[in-house]
Amino acid sequence: MTSGRRFRVGLAAVTAVGLAVRLVYVLAVKGNEAPRGDALIFFLQGHQLATGHGLVNAALLAFKGISRPVADHPPLFTYYLALLDRLGIRTFLGARLGVAVMG
C-alpha cells in the first residue's frame, strides 16, 4: 500500500471513529434533552432565521416577543442550523445529530 493510500485509509478510519463517538454520545447521553445556555440560543436563532425573522436576539424573541437584530455570534453556524430547520429537522435531537455529522 502506498503512503498516500495509507494516509487516506487512516484518515477515513479516524473520521469514522470520530463520527461514531459523536453519534453514540448524542444518542446515549444527550438525546432530546433541552439544551441550555448558548446551545439553546443557537438552536432558537437557527429556527427564527429559518422562519424569516433574520438574525435576531433569540431569547428576546422567544420569551418576550421582541424582535431585535444582533451580531453576537458569527452567523455561519446559525445558518447551518437554519438549513437543518428548513429541511424539517426541528427537534433538539435532530439538531444535535446534524451538528455531530457536521463536526
Side-chain angles (χ1 to χ4, degrees):
M1 186 181 308
T2 66
S3 64
R5 179 165 166 70
R6 192 172 343 162
F7 174 77
R8 288 190 299 276
V9 168
L11 183 59
V14 168
T15 302
V17 169
L19 177 60
V21 168
R22 283 173 165 261
L23 293 176
V24 166
Y25 176 74
V26 167
L27 294 171
V29 177
K30 287 298 192 179
N32 208 32
E33 171 188 316
R36 294 182 293 264
D38 276 351
L40 177 60
I41 297 304
F42 274 112
F43 179 81
L44 291 172
Q45 196 172 41
H47 175 70
Q48 292 162 353
L49 180 62
T51 55
H53 294 284
L55 290 169
V56 296
N57 183 315
L60 211 59
L61 182 57
F63 302 119
K64 296 195 177 196
I66 299 169
S67 181
R68 184 169 299 145
V70 294
D72 296 7
H73 302 107
L76 189 58
F77 185 60
T78 302
Y79 281 111
Y80 179 72
L81 292 173
L83 173 65
L84 294 177
D85 193 277
R86 293 292 295 227
L87 293 173
I89 301 168
R90 296 186 178 99
T91 64
F92 300 137
L93 176 60
R96 282 190 175 107
L97 290 171
V99 170
V101 169
M102 179 190 70

